[in-house]
Amino acid sequence: MELRGKVALVTGAGRRIGAAIAESLGGEGMSVAVHYRTSREGAELTRARVEAAGGRAWCVEGDLAQRDSASQLVDRVADRFGGLDVLINSAASMERTPFGTITVDDWDRILAVNSRAPFFLAQAAAAHMRSGGAIVNIADLAAFEIWPNYVLHGASKAAIVYLTEALARILAPAVRVNAVAPGVVLMPDAWDTSVADRLARTTPLKHNGTPDDVVGAIRYLLEADYVTGEIMHVDGGRRIR
Ligand SMILES: NC(=O)c1ccc[n+]([C@@H]2O[C@H](COP(=O)([O-])OP(=O)(O)OC[C@H]3O[C@@H](n4cnc5c(N)ncnc54)[C@H](OP(=O)(O)O)[C@@H]3O)[C@@H](O)[C@H]2O)c1
């Protein structure tokens, strides 16, 4: 898929991995909708970086935990840029939920942001992509391993893996749907650096990843016209260790 001049929506682009994805798409000459929920200043910074890289950018706010927010977000972006060609579902919330303490509210909140919103964003986006488009979901190594204290996170990302394959089949041939499943890229801000060191030591490639590793996989999946339904692991080999 030729990216120059096309329109992309990147969710959760006010910071960290989503911001790096948006900037990279700007470098391809795309018009990028920089979605954020609370990271308004970060989104403005991302907008400036997208434009400096050669793209057009627009910041758009939305709480994806809210009902109907996904379809409203897609329609606003398509109105603003006159269409939509690429959706990158990066926004997510990684919450620790030890078994035995999990509430129905925890389930609803985490699954709403991590699984429900990406699905309804894709469904709404596909309606604008009839002449061709591409969706990349960001899954997680957690979808393939059992992390006892993150069982809802893992379940929400396992749903992303299933939905990627299902939507790839449903939306072919007009829209390709793929996913990247990162391993350890950026630690949550509150985590101690010793955790990052331990994870690097126990990764076959002996180091943690960077946002650029995820960006590289996304760019490949956007440009690979014969690839759909693929889950690309970007985890230094942690899944097969
Ligand atoms: N970091 C890693 O090492 C790693 C590893 C595996 C997979 N991943 C996946 O890669 C993606 C990006 O990772 P990250 O670490 O950069 O993510 P992150 O910093 O934890 O969060 C990304 C963004 O999600 C947005 N978000 C959270 N709840 C939201 C809601 N209710 N409505 C709308 N937006 C919401 C936040 O927006 P605001 O800041 O604007 O509120 C945040 O900026 C995620 O899907 C993550 O699960 C990351």
Side-chain angles (χ1 to χ4, degrees):
M1 173 181 197
E2 168 63 41
L3 299 181
R4 185 158 298 279
K6 299 271 173 54
V7 177
L9 165 60
V10 183
T11 66
R15 61 195 190 112
R16 291 164 54 94
I17 294 174
I21 296 166
E23 184 178 349
S24 151
L25 298 184
E28 296 295 324
M30 298 188 79
S31 296
V32 184
V34 176
H35 161 265
Y36 68 97
R37 178 194 48 166
T38 56
S39 297
R40 187 194 188 93
E41 279 181 24
E44 285 297 336
L45 201 59
T46 304
R47 182 184 61 73
R49 289 193 172 140
V50 169
E51 289 175 351
R56 290 201 300 156
W58 180 56
C59 296
V60 55
E61 188 268 341
D63 181 355
L64 294 172
Q66 300 300 316
R67 281 178 75 90
D68 303 327
S69 58
S71 57
Q72 287 168 4
L73 175 61
V74 165
D75 290 345
R76 287 174 69 197
V77 172
D79 279 356
R80 177 69 166 76
F81 285 124
L84 181 63
D85 306 289
V86 165
L87 167 66
I88 312 291
N89 273 316
S90 183
S93 113
M94 181 173 148
E95 290 187 42
R96 189 173 187 274
T97 52
F99 186 79
T101 70
I102 297 171
T103 65
V104 172
D105 283 347
D106 293 333
W107 176 284
D108 288 348
R109 186 182 61 257
I110 293 169
L111 275 285
V113 177
N114 291 9
S115 313
R116 187 182 75 188
F119 172 79
F120 283 100
L121 285 161
Q123 184 172 257
H128 293 278
M129 293 177 176
R130 293 217 172 86
S131 57
I135 298 171
V136 180
N137 296 318
I138 313 296
D140 194 313
L141 177 62
F144 304 92
E145 295 185 330
I146 308 303
W147 299 357
N149 286 325
Y150 290 85
V151 66
L152 294 190
H153 182 74
S156 72
K157 292 295 190 175
I160 286 294
V161 170
Y162 175 85
L163 290 171
T164 298
E165 295 181 345
L167 291 173
R169 177 140 154 217
I170 292 164
L171 296 175
V175 179
R176 294 183 301 106
V177 187
N178 294 290
V180 178
V184 186
V185 176
L186 292 176
M187 295 290 108
D189 295 338
W191 286 20
D192 194 272
T193 51
S194 64
V195 180
D197 294 344
R198 178 175 54 76
L199 291 169
R201 274 198 310 277
T202 54
T203 294
L205 293 185
K206 298 293 175 207
H207 63 91
N208 294 330
T210 67
D212 276 352
D213 294 319
V214 177
V215 165
I218 289 174
R219 286 174 56 158
Y220 168 76
L221 292 170
L222 289 179
E223 287 170 350
D225 286 333
Y226 202 52
V227 176
T228 196
E230 179 65 22
I231 313 297
M232 184 174 284
H233 296 273
V234 179
D235 64 1
R238 278 193 80 79
R239 189 178 60 93
I240 44 84
R241 93 201 123 112

